[in-house]
Amino acid sequence: MPVYLDHAASSVLRSEVRDEFLAHLEVVGNPSSIHGYGQSARQLVEEAREQIAKAVDCNRSEVILTSGGTESDNLAVKGIFWQRNGEDAARRVIISAATEHHAVIDPLEWLEKSQGAEVIWLPVSNEGLVELDALARVLAERANEVALITLMWANNETGVITDIHEVTALADKYRIPVHSDAVAAFGHLPISFATSGLAAMTITGHKIGSPIGVGALIVSRNTKLVEVAHGGGQERGLRSGTLSPALAKSFALAAELCVAEAEAMAAKHAKFAGAILKSLSAIKDIEVTLSRGGAAGLPNILHFSFAGCSGDSLLFLLDSAGVSVSTGSACRAGVAEPSHVLLAMGRTEAEASGCLRVSFGHSTTEAEVQAFIDALPAAYASAKKAGLSAK
Ligand SMILES: Cc1ncc(COP(=O)(O)O)c(C=O)c1O
């Protein structure tokens, strides 16, 4: 039985969503065309927008459909920075944290290198929590220079949750827009954009059981941003490009389903995490990164570190035993790197290379979890024999 416990990387396509995708795949017409075919295609996209708006509790006009999380993050941080910096050249500071996903970190570094921005990276505790006292201090000193704040709702490697409401309350004192990457959080935590105080929020479909290649940036009605892609002026002029009714409807159904199931799924995932944690306690040298009950964590992500072997060798050994998990860290151009998230949490390179992420999704079964529990001790023993040489 193949075991897939890497839903935080990309989840499994839901069967209802596959049916929805196929049902609309042959829809004829460009949703921007004014003839009947175009109107029917447009109607599907607008239905999808309404469904997505309900799922994240926002107004339908606030849903900007994109190709996924990376595009949404780029649009948010570049678009808000250009808008605010264009209105007031003194506003060139962006506040973020080094535990963000590369879809945020890399555009920020690019803005710094080529667009005159200055990024302030907030300190992160060794449990992975962004230090919000430091945010308050930076704002007190430099609020007039800040263009935006971008902090993820929950971390995709460790599962650590940021108190976004506290972030927006701090920012609101100075009327500074906040963007949050909610890719890892959506479907696993209750999310209301309307009450979040956010200016913009990123979500993507393939983490919640929709096909890859569709997502959204939720942009509040009073947030202005400069577009990144120029063209046909679709999506309030913020994201040009012809929309796919099939992808939009698939994403919308996945969003509806994951919100409807979130509570029951969180309870199921907490049970799975409990079973794995219990089994880990019997293995010497394994340390659970996130002390559950301490730092708040996503129910579907379990992250742990261990001594004496690299996460990659453990990952390969588990994979050859039919169990797919992840180290959670980036693998760029086929070269494994130590996790930038763990480095930001104060771990050494060796420690940041010795970790594993298990993540559950809508399709995860008890049998899969048990197969992981059964395979881990032998894989860990073999990986330890190989030492840290897998890099
Ligand atoms: C937190 C986070 N943000 C953004 C992304 C990028 O999303 P996409 O793969 O839809 O471009 C991911 C995907 O790994 C993610 O985990």
Side-chain angles (χ1 to χ4, degrees):
M1 173 191 72
V3 175
Y4 187 74
L5 296 174
D6 196 14
H7 292 257
S10 199
S11 194
V12 172
L13 186 68
R14 290 170 181 267
S15 55
E16 311 90 315
V17 172
R18 183 200 51 221
D19 294 347
E20 186 77 348
F21 183 65
L22 294 176
H24 301 298
L25 197 53
E26 293 183 62
V27 167
V28 175
N30 184 323
S32 299
S33 297
I34 47 176
H35 48 60
Y37 285 110
Q39 297 280 302
S40 306
R42 172 106 230 147
Q43 195 182 335
L44 288 170
V45 171
E46 293 314 317
E47 266 174 35
R49 196 185 310 284
E50 186 81 45
Q51 289 169 273
I52 295 162
K54 275 208 184 101
V56 296
D57 187 23
C58 72
N59 188 283
R60 57 196 298 283
S61 66
E62 295 174 319
V63 178
I64 306 299
L65 291 162
T66 67
S67 63
T70 303
E71 186 188 342
S72 297
D73 283 341
N74 271 265
L75 175 58
V77 299
K78 291 175 183 168
I80 298 176
F81 173 78
W82 284 330
Q83 178 71 35
R84 300 259 295 163
N85 186 247
E87 288 166 0
D88 174 0
R91 292 201 182 272
R92 47 181 288 277
V93 171
I94 304 174
I95 304 175
S96 190
T99 43
E100 290 291 311
H101 191 272
H102 276 290
V104 167
I105 291 180
D106 289 26
L108 293 187
E109 288 179 345
W110 179 80
L111 286 169
E112 195 163 43
K113 229 184 279 159
S114 66
Q115 305 290 300
E118 174 191 346
V119 182
I120 296 180
W121 303 101
L122 295 173
V124 176
S125 76
N126 60 12
E127 279 206 307
L129 284 168
V130 178
E131 294 187 7
L132 298 186
D133 289 353
L135 172 61
R137 282 195 300 277
V138 173
L139 289 177
E141 282 166 21
R142 303 191 60 182
N144 291 341
E145 297 167 70
V146 179
L148 76 142
I149 299 167
T150 176
L151 288 171
M152 67 205 320
W153 200 303
N155 187 275
N156 54 296
E157 286 188 30
T158 59
V160 173
I161 298 166
T162 304
D163 186 342
I164 284 300
H165 292 90
E166 192 178 336
V167 173
T168 53
L170 286 169
D172 193 46
K173 282 196 216 160
Y174 307 95
R175 302 195 158 277
I176 293 171
V178 182
H179 162 252
S180 185
D181 178 330
V183 163
F186 184 46
H188 302 286
L189 295 177
I191 284 184
S192 160
F193 182 75
T195 62
S196 68
L198 290 170
M201 181 177 84
T202 293
I203 51 175
T204 193
H206 70 102
K207 313 283 182 176
I208 56 167
S210 124
I212 295 173
V214 61
L217 182 67
I218 313 298
V219 182
S220 89
R221 276 167 292 178
N222 39 27
T223 297
K224 287 195 189 143
L225 70 173
V226 173
E227 65 271 41
V228 173
H230 299 84
Q234 291 91 341
E235 302 301 275
R236 281 165 52 192
L238 294 177
R239 196 275 187 177
S240 287
T242 303
L243 292 167
S244 154
L247 281 176
K249 283 294 284 176
S250 307
F251 179 34
L253 180 59
E256 272 183 354
L257 292 171
C258 81
V259 168
E261 294 168 5
E263 214 178 298
M265 202 140 77
K268 191 172 88 169
H269 291 169
K271 220 175 98 200
F272 292 161
I276 293 178
L277 284 172
K278 197 165 151 225
S279 79
L280 290 181
S281 62
I283 308 177
K284 221 172 118 239
D285 293 338
I286 291 195
E287 178 203 334
V288 177
T289 310
L290 179 64
S291 59
R292 287 179 174 272
L298 289 177
N300 63 314
I301 291 183
L302 194 56
H303 188 278
F304 48 93
S305 317
F306 33 80
C309 73
S310 89
D312 295 304
S313 39
L314 189 47
L315 188 148
F316 290 132
L317 285 157
L318 284 168
D319 194 37
S320 50
V323 177
S324 302
V325 292
S326 162
T327 57
S329 59
C331 181
R332 295 183 170 216
V335 180
E337 294 174 348
S339 156
H340 72 282
V341 173
L342 292 198
L343 293 176
M345 288 162 62
R347 306 294 194 274
T348 63
E349 285 219 356
E351 286 166 346
S353 302
C355 60
L356 214 62
R357 175 188 71 187
V358 176
S359 55
F360 315 122
H362 64 91
S363 62
T364 306
T365 62
E366 209 169 317
E368 284 185 295
V369 171
Q370 191 55 49
F372 170 76
I373 291 172
D374 294 342
L376 184 65
Y380 182 50
S382 307
K384 259 179 127 176
K385 269 193 211 140
L388 289 162
S389 59
K391 289 182 37 149

